[in-house]
Amino acid sequence: MTAVDEQHTACVRRDAALSRAFEFLGRRWNAAVLGKLRDGPVGFRDLSRSITGISDSVLSNRLSSLVTADLIVRVVDEGPPVSVSYGLTPAGHALMPALDQIADWADEHIP
């Protein structure tokens, strides 16, 4: 494989990775949910109250999606009373600097 071929292959892989990331993170509410979990675990009801405009069914769907993607973890405290909270996984924490940079870029370049 030539240097040009290797460069092309690396570019194609990077484009594919960016497409996957933006497709997932671009789903409405995913970034908002991740941002609310930045400072520590949060219960479902508190999440629902803190994200204006999200329905409980959509929040539940987004949380399930983020758990499946290994960006957050669902923790059940058997209580009593039983409570459920959600927190960032190491992969979710690793994403926070990139989300901060995207937010900073948007503040600067998108009015």
Side-chain angles (χ1 to χ4, degrees):
M1 183 178 276
T2 68
V4 171
D5 289 338
E6 288 177 10
Q7 212 172 16
H8 175 73
T9 300
C11 186
V12 168
R13 269 184 281 173
R14 185 170 179 87
D15 287 350
L18 284 170
S19 290
R20 286 191 315 274
F22 278 106
E23 180 181 338
F24 184 77
L25 294 172
R27 286 190 188 121
R28 188 162 187 198
W29 307 114
N30 278 357
V33 171
L34 289 167
K36 295 295 181 182
L37 298 176
R38 147 176 285 161
D39 295 327
V42 180
F44 183 92
R45 185 58 37 218
D46 290 332
L47 276 173
S48 179
R49 288 185 193 129
S50 70
I51 304 173
T52 304
I54 192 169
S55 70
D56 286 351
S57 62
V58 171
L59 177 58
S60 179
N61 177 275
R62 294 304 179 256
L63 289 168
S64 294
S65 171
L66 292 165
V67 167
T68 299
D70 195 36
L71 294 174
I72 66 172
V73 62
R74 181 178 187 265
V75 178
V76 178
D77 179 10
E78 296 300 332
V82 173
S83 65
V84 176
S85 62
Y86 297 86
L88 294 175
T89 63
H93 280 289
L95 182 58
M96 291 300 106
L99 290 180
D100 289 340
Q101 288 181 339
I102 291 168
D104 291 344
W105 177 87
D107 283 343
E108 186 175 335
H109 298 285
I110 301 174

